Amino acid sequence: MTTRAEPGDEQSDPGLSAIMCERRRLTNLAYRLLGSLADAEDVVQETYTRWYAMSAREQQAIESPGAWLMKVAGRICLNLLGSARAKRETYVGAWIPEPLPEPTESVHGLSGVGVIDPVDRVTLDESVTMAFLVVLDSMTPAERVAFVLHDVFRYPFGEVAEIVGRTPAACRQLATSARRRIRTAQTPAGPGAGQAAIVRRFKAAWEAKDIDALIGLLDPDATATADGGGIAVTHLHPLLGGERIARAYARIASMSGDRTTFLECTVNGLPGLVAWQDGELATVFAFEIVGDRIRNIWAVRNPEKLRRWRMG
């Protein structure tokens, strides 16, 4: 998919037109590829820096500034994905994508928590749920870029090939491999209203330290993963099994006592929870719910990944 600029825009100010039309699209692409809004913003900034490094004549020679920007952003993300793998080797504990709040929600009295300029907002759809991003993170950089560009942004493989640096046929195979990973990892989830009810019941059972109720809400093979980034205290390795998770979470509730408050919220477009401890936002919880059971819990405690949730 090539985004064309409006007629005449290139002659007046192609750079301005590209910024106005493409900035949000670039942010959406980079967040899906990197799983970090902070990194996505850096990618967008670097993309525009490269645009303005060109002369006016060079800019005007580009038929579609929007397509040029997307191509440059895609290549920057591909390079970053390669270096991210090396950085993960020194990351303390599990790495979870940065969770995103619903811009219109109010969390613990903060109206519009996570307020972002409308052109920088990430579109919250099925391609940014935590479960989906976790599967994307398991892919090779080339698989991830080929799949997101083609299946999410509808770019033809010919254009994907220019970004990935492989043939269109190779990119088609990469996308096929990525789809296979997604089909293997995911099963259809229930309706949002049903998921919200399950999260609400989980919250109530957790607050009550009701281990049996927690076990009943968790899939027997459930997994709970936490990301403290070496900054916040949490379990370094995933907890496996519904009963083990229930008992561990009940202990957490007992230890925190009245210092912690749990509130329902929207995390990456789906029902989730936030935990406030001693008046400070401490954790954002995302869930994968299959049928009427919770199959995955992702608890993000790394404060560097929660800055959007602290913005008022």
Side-chain angles (χ1 to χ4, degrees):
M1 175 185 289
T2 301
T3 305
R4 301 296 179 188
E6 293 297 321
D9 283 347
E10 296 93 329
Q11 286 70 32
S12 58
D13 187 347
L16 177 60
S17 173
I19 288 177
M20 297 304 295
C21 297
E22 300 297 334
R23 191 167 131 202
R24 182 174 184 180
R25 188 171 173 81
L26 293 171
T27 303
N28 272 273
L29 171 68
Y31 175 73
R32 285 164 173 79
L33 289 178
L34 302 175
S36 165
L37 188 55
D39 290 344
E41 290 169 340
D42 289 343
V43 167
V44 174
Q45 182 64 36
E46 174 62 21
T47 300
Y48 284 121
T49 296
R50 295 187 186 187
W51 171 265
Y52 282 114
M54 295 188 296
S55 66
R57 176 173 294 182
E58 289 173 321
Q59 292 174 353
Q60 291 168 2
I62 296 173
E63 180 183 0
S64 173
W68 185 92
L69 289 167
M70 288 289 282
K71 180 183 295 185
V72 170
R75 286 174 175 167
I76 295 173
C77 287
L78 183 62
N79 291 335
L80 287 175
L81 284 170
S83 61
R85 293 201 160 210
K87 291 180 181 178
R88 299 282 176 81
E89 294 179 2
T90 59
Y91 194 84
V92 179
W95 187 93
I96 297 175
E98 178 184 343
L100 294 184
E102 170 56 54
T104 60
E105 282 188 345
S106 175
V107 179
H108 203 64
L110 295 181
S111 179
V113 65
V115 172
I116 306 172
D117 188 318
V119 298
D120 284 333
R121 286 180 182 164
V122 173
T123 303
L124 300 179
D125 59 23
E126 65 278 2
S127 67
V128 291
T129 65
M130 192 60 71
F132 194 88
L133 291 176
V134 168
V135 177
L136 287 180
D137 195 57
S138 70
M139 300 177 185
T140 67
E143 279 180 333
R144 188 167 184 169
V145 173
F147 173 79
V148 170
L149 282 170
H150 181 266
D151 285 45
V152 178
F153 287 85
R154 302 303 178 187
Y155 268 58
F157 284 117
E159 294 185 27
V160 174
E162 295 179 17
I163 296 172
V164 178
R166 305 195 186 188
T167 66
C171 290
R172 189 183 301 275
Q173 288 300 315
L174 288 170
T176 298
S177 175
R179 289 186 212 108
R180 190 178 302 117
R181 288 178 185 260
I182 290 173
R183 284 196 300 269
T184 300
Q186 292 187 308
T187 56
Q195 293 190 48
I198 292 171
V199 170
R200 189 171 302 118
R201 288 165 56 196
F202 181 85
K203 170 180 175 289
W206 194 1
E207 291 173 328
K209 309 175 191 61
D210 188 336
I211 294 177
D212 290 337
L214 288 171
I215 292 174
L217 290 166
L218 291 160
D219 186 287
D221 297 320
T223 300
T225 307
D227 179 347
I231 303 172
V233 177
T234 190
H235 50 92
L236 293 179
H237 304 289
L239 302 176
L240 305 178
E243 183 172 348
R244 183 184 179 194
I245 294 169
R247 295 188 183 282
Y249 272 48
R251 284 196 299 272
I252 292 171
S254 296
M255 292 171 61
S256 61
D258 296 332
R259 297 168 50 226
T260 303
T261 301
F262 298 100
L263 297 170
E264 297 174 46
C265 64
T266 301
V267 182
N268 285 58
L270 290 176
L273 294 174
V274 292
W276 288 75
Q277 193 166 56
D278 298 326
E280 297 289 334
L281 189 146
T283 314
V284 172
F285 297 90
F287 299 86
E288 181 184 30
I289 298 171
V290 179
D292 59 354
R293 297 288 187 97
I294 296 170
R295 188 167 72 174
N296 278 294
I297 302 174
W298 294 282
V300 181
R301 289 181 50 78
N302 184 342
E304 295 178 356
K305 296 184 178 183
L306 301 181
R307 62 192 182 94
R308 290 291 175 188
W309 297 82
R310 296 190 174 94
M311 294 170 61

